[in-house]
Structures are given as structure tokens and as C-alpha cells.
Amino acid sequence: MSQQGGVEEIHAWRNHLLNFNSKSQCFGYAQKLFDESTQPGLVSWSALISRYVQNGLSAEALLAFYDMHSFGIKSNEFTFPSVLKACSITKDLNLGKQVHGVGFVTGFESDVFVANTLVCMYAKCGEFGDSRRLFDEIVVRDVVSWNALFFSYMQHDYCREAVKLFMEMIESGIRPNEFTLSTISAFNEIAQPDIVSWNAIIAGCVHHEDHKWALRLIMDMKRLGLRLNMFTLSSALKACAGLGLKELGRQLHSSLVKMDTKSDVFVDVGLIDMYSKCKMMKDAKMVHSLMPKKNLIAWNAIITGHSQNGEDFEALWLFVEVFKQKIGFNRVTLSTVLKSTATLQAIKVCQQIHAISMKTGYQSDIYVINSFLDTYAKCSQVKDAARIFEECKVGDLVAFTSMIAAYAQYGQDKLYSLDTN
């Protein structure tokens, strides 16, 4: 081994030991190892600063940062977050701005980890305008980015801003993690949210299928003596449907009856959906029959319920009723009915629905097209399926998968090469 290689190996082992002892809170020995380093590099400095911060020694971390820079060693994407976190804890906004400036000049401001820590630092120092501006400038925001600003809003009792930010997060397609949801569950202790804020948060959880958290929040509301309204109960029903909690669903239904309010279509649809997903179609049909006014959403809900529970004849019969009453239909209605048609292999019904869809313009809807492909294929009408596929102007993965499955199922190994552009 060369002398240079041996020195580098010793430095590497020293860095590992320094990192280990810092993690183990053996700061005396860690500091001794660091002091014995003839030329501590960036890795050693970063490890020491990071462990100081993680163990609550922010002042020591900042002193180490000053020393590091006095030796002419520049920070990197690992050093900046630790130093900025120390600035947040000590509320040293001036130093935080200086570190931000260095990060900007060296180009590390755009690093997502550095950017997230900057958002958090400015917010914790009370500079919410700068915090939000930096948040908006992050090109690719991850859940940590959202949590950084969200948690800061909660800590400073900006409840409405936190709720608004949470809804923005949901709408942007970012799924909340455990930290987000645990912060939400404690937000009544941090602030004093109103019923609108509670409902918005619960609805957001349901939208992202975090049903257990939604129900947990509802239980928190009840524990705090807050009165649940129709919007709260509607979200609760969706959560019960998602988890298949039939007994809790019944209790919620009972609560709605006791409220003695006018029939609400969205709540009624929620009840139909909940009972259907809990395989309680008698109850679902009862709710549907008692509705004073049934719109298309209500009809779709009960048709879907029958189809999901294998009651395909009932689903088709209800579709006929909808058609006779001239209520209308949409892509959801057609796709659901076609699924039941495929299960029953009722080719004549499929052809009739196809004719209806052509008259109403749904034959060009890719969602409906894929349903027809699947239905014709399952009814052994591969040529009809292929014709629809060839006429399709915009093919997607589902369409190709349906056709491949159809050819494979009926032994036709000749797959057509189609231009779908």
C-alpha cells in the first residue's frame, strides 16, 4: 500500500469513528478524534456539525461552522441543512440569511434538501413571506417540502393557512405521510380550528384514501365536544366504505336520522356507496328507494353497487329504467353497465348499448371505448373488438392490453400493427 493510500484510509476510518461516536453522543471522544485530525476535511466537519444539531447542541454546531469556514473549507448540500437547522433552533435569522446567501452563490439553494430547510428556517424565525416565496420557487416539491411549511404554520397558530396549504397539497397529487397526518391529528392542541377547517382536513384524508386517519380525526372532534355536520358525516361514510366498516356505517346512518335534516343527495349517495361496499345491498336499495329526488349520481351509485356485488341482471334492469325515464347517462353509467354485460356475456345488450353510445357521442370517449373492447372480447366477438380498436384515434395502455388479452384468450396469435397517432 502506498503512503498516500494509507493516509487516505486512516482519514476514512477516522471519519467513520467520528460519525459513530457523534451518533452515540460520545462527544468527548468524537471531539478528541476530530482535534487529532491533522487536516479535517469537509466530511469530518459535516459529520460533527450534523451530530451536534441532532443532539440539541445548536450553539456548538454554529461555532464549528464558523471554524470550518475560517479554515477555508466550503459547505456542501449536506452541511447547509444542518447549519440552517441550527439557525432555526437558535432563531438566528441574520446568520441564516448569510448562510442562505452562501448557498445561493454556490448554487446549493436549488437542492431540494437545502431548499426545504430554508423554508423551515425562515418560517421558524417568523418570516413567513420569505418562507412561502422559497416554497413556491422549489421546482419539484416532495412531501418533505410541504411538511416543512405546513408544520411551521401549525406551530404559529396559522390554522387557516395550514388547512389551505393541506388542500393545495392534496390537489397537487402529493400523498401525505405519517408526519403530515400526525401533525394534523394534533392541530386542535396547537390552534383552535373551526368546523370548516376540520371538514377540509378530513375530506383531504378521505380523498387520498387515508380512511383510518379520517376516522381518527372525527373521533378527536367528538372527544372535544364538536358537533358533526352533514359534511363531516359524508366524509365518515366514505371512510367506512373504504374500510368496509358496516357496523360503524350503520351507527353513522342512525346519527343522520336523528339529526332530522332534509335529505341530502351527496349524503344519500354516500350511504348507498357505503352499504354497497359492505355487501349490504338491501340497505343500499332501501336508501335509494327513499330518496325523494334521484339524480344521475344516485342512479350510478346503485347500479355500481349491484355490479360490484355480482348482481349483474339487476344492474342492467336499472339501466333500462334510467333509459326509459330519460334521466340520461354518462361514461360512468356506460362503463359500469358494460362490465355487467361482459360478465353475463350478453352480446345483444352490448350491441344495443353500443348503438346508444354512438347516437350520443360516447363512442369517441376512450374510457367507454376500453369498456367496449373488454366486453366484446369477453363475449367472444374478437373481430368487433379489433374493429373498435382500429377505429380508435387515441389508443392507450388499457386498450392495447385488452386487445392482447383478447387475442391470447381466443388463440389468435396474429396481432395487428396499428398506427394510433
Side-chain angles (χ1 to χ4, degrees):
M1 181 185 292
S2 67
Q3 184 177 1
Q4 179 64 29
V7 171
E8 288 178 355
E9 188 172 344
I10 290 169
H11 278 306
W13 275 106
R14 190 179 294 276
N15 287 336
H16 285 306
L17 283 169
L18 173 62
N19 193 35
F20 171 77
N21 285 285
S22 297
K23 285 181 179 178
S24 304
Q25 295 188 342
C26 300
F27 292 111
Y29 187 55
Q31 188 69 56
K32 185 175 181 293
L33 281 171
F34 186 84
D35 292 338
E36 288 176 355
S37 299
T38 54
Q39 292 179 332
L42 178 58
V43 176
S44 298
W45 282 104
S46 295
L48 189 66
I49 293 169
S50 175
R51 299 313 162 195
Y52 273 143
V53 174
Q54 287 184 11
N55 291 283
L57 300 172
S58 301
E60 287 81 354
L62 294 176
L63 286 172
F65 175 69
Y66 279 121
D67 289 341
M68 186 186 85
H69 268 264
S70 68
F71 285 110
I73 298 174
K74 296 180 179 179
S75 302
N76 63 7
E77 69 271 24
F78 302 106
T79 321
F80 280 116
S82 297
V83 177
L84 288 166
K85 187 175 180 180
C87 293
S88 299
I89 295 169
T90 59
K91 299 292 191 294
D92 194 338
L93 181 60
N94 288 330
L95 179 58
K97 287 183 176 180
Q98 292 175 39
V99 175
H100 184 186
V102 175
F104 177 77
V105 171
T106 54
F108 287 109
E109 182 196 41
S110 58
D111 179 88
V112 67
F113 297 107
V114 177
N116 290 342
T117 319
L118 280 167
V119 169
C120 195
M121 187 274 293
Y122 276 107
K124 286 189 175 180
C125 289
E127 299 293 323
F128 284 98
D130 290 325
S131 179
R132 179 69 203 218
R133 177 180 57 79
L134 288 166
F135 173 81
D136 291 336
E137 289 175 359
I138 299 175
V139 179
V140 182
R141 293 176 221 146
D142 57 13
V143 68
V144 179
S145 309
W146 291 91
N147 284 347
L149 188 57
F150 180 70
F151 184 67
S152 298
Y153 278 147
M154 299 296 281
Q155 279 191 317
H156 288 79
D157 291 346
Y158 291 159
C159 183
R160 288 192 178 277
E161 288 80 358
V163 171
K164 184 179 178 182
L165 185 72
F166 181 78
M167 298 313 295
E168 285 180 37
M169 179 182 180
I170 296 296
E171 289 169 4
S172 69
I174 299 293
R175 187 179 182 85
N177 62 10
E178 288 291 318
F179 180 80
T180 322
L181 296 171
S182 62
T183 303
I184 291 167
S185 66
F187 83 132
N188 189 68
E189 298 173 13
I190 301 170
Q192 293 183 339
D194 56 17
I195 187 67
V196 176
S197 300
W198 277 101
N199 284 340
I201 294 291
I202 292 167
C205 291
V206 171
H207 178 75
H208 254 294
E209 298 184 356
D210 292 304
H211 303 303
K212 289 183 179 179
W213 279 99
L215 293 176
R216 177 177 169 179
L217 289 173
I218 292 169
M219 293 303 293
D220 287 344
M221 284 182 69
K222 293 186 72 174
R223 177 175 54 82
L224 294 165
L226 295 172
R227 184 179 175 82
L228 309 185
N229 62 15
M230 299 288 279
F231 295 103
T232 325
L233 292 171
S234 179
S235 293
L237 287 170
K238 291 177 183 177
C240 289
L243 296 170
L245 301 175
K246 60 176 70 177
E247 291 305 319
L248 181 56
R250 281 189 182 278
Q251 291 174 30
L252 290 170
H253 192 178
S254 177
S255 297
L256 283 165
V257 173
K258 289 176 182 177
M259 288 173 69
D260 195 26
T261 57
K262 291 183 179 179
S263 176
D264 181 273
V265 65
F266 292 105
V267 173
D268 288 338
V269 167
L271 283 167
I272 294 169
D273 182 54
M274 183 272 296
Y275 281 128
S276 298
K277 287 180 178 175
C278 291
K279 302 184 183 304
M280 301 166 70
M281 284 308 298
K282 285 184 178 180
D283 296 273
K285 287 191 288 184
M286 180 193 69
V287 173
H288 183 262
S289 65
L290 292 175
M291 290 179 69
K293 291 183 179 179
K294 305 178 185 68
N295 60 10
L296 181 57
I297 298 172
W299 283 103
N300 280 347
I302 194 66
I303 291 171
T304 301
H306 282 300
S307 182
Q308 287 176 343
N309 284 278
E311 299 176 359
D312 298 300
F313 283 109
E314 289 83 351
L316 293 183
W317 182 81
L318 284 175
F319 175 68
V320 173
E321 287 299 306
V322 168
F323 188 73
K324 284 181 179 178
Q325 295 181 29
K326 298 182 180 180
I327 294 169
F329 51 84
N330 57 17
R331 63 197 309 218
V332 175
T333 325
L334 292 174
S335 297
T336 304
V337 172
L338 285 168
K339 182 181 177 183
S340 289
T341 304
T343 302
L344 297 170
Q345 295 189 337
I347 182 59
K348 289 186 178 180
V349 176
C350 177
Q351 291 169 343
Q352 290 174 352
I353 295 172
H354 195 176
I356 293 170
S357 70
M358 291 186 70
K359 291 179 181 178
T360 51
Y362 281 105
Q363 82 280 0
S364 59
D365 186 302
I366 189 65
Y367 194 67
V368 177
I369 288 171
N370 289 337
S371 297
F372 275 119
L373 284 174
D374 183 63
T375 306
Y376 274 119
K378 287 179 178 177
C379 291
S380 305
Q381 304 297 313
V382 182
K383 287 186 178 179
D384 288 323
R387 177 174 53 80
I388 293 172
F389 184 74
E390 290 173 4
E391 292 172 355
C392 179
K393 294 180 180 179
V394 183
D396 63 359
L397 181 61
V398 177
F400 276 95
T401 303
S402 296
M403 279 311 305
I404 292 170
Y407 286 131
Q409 184 177 356
Y410 294 100
Q412 297 188 26
D413 57 357
K414 182 182 178 182
L415 302 181
Y416 294 97
S417 176
L418 301 173
D419 182 5
T420 59
N421 293 322

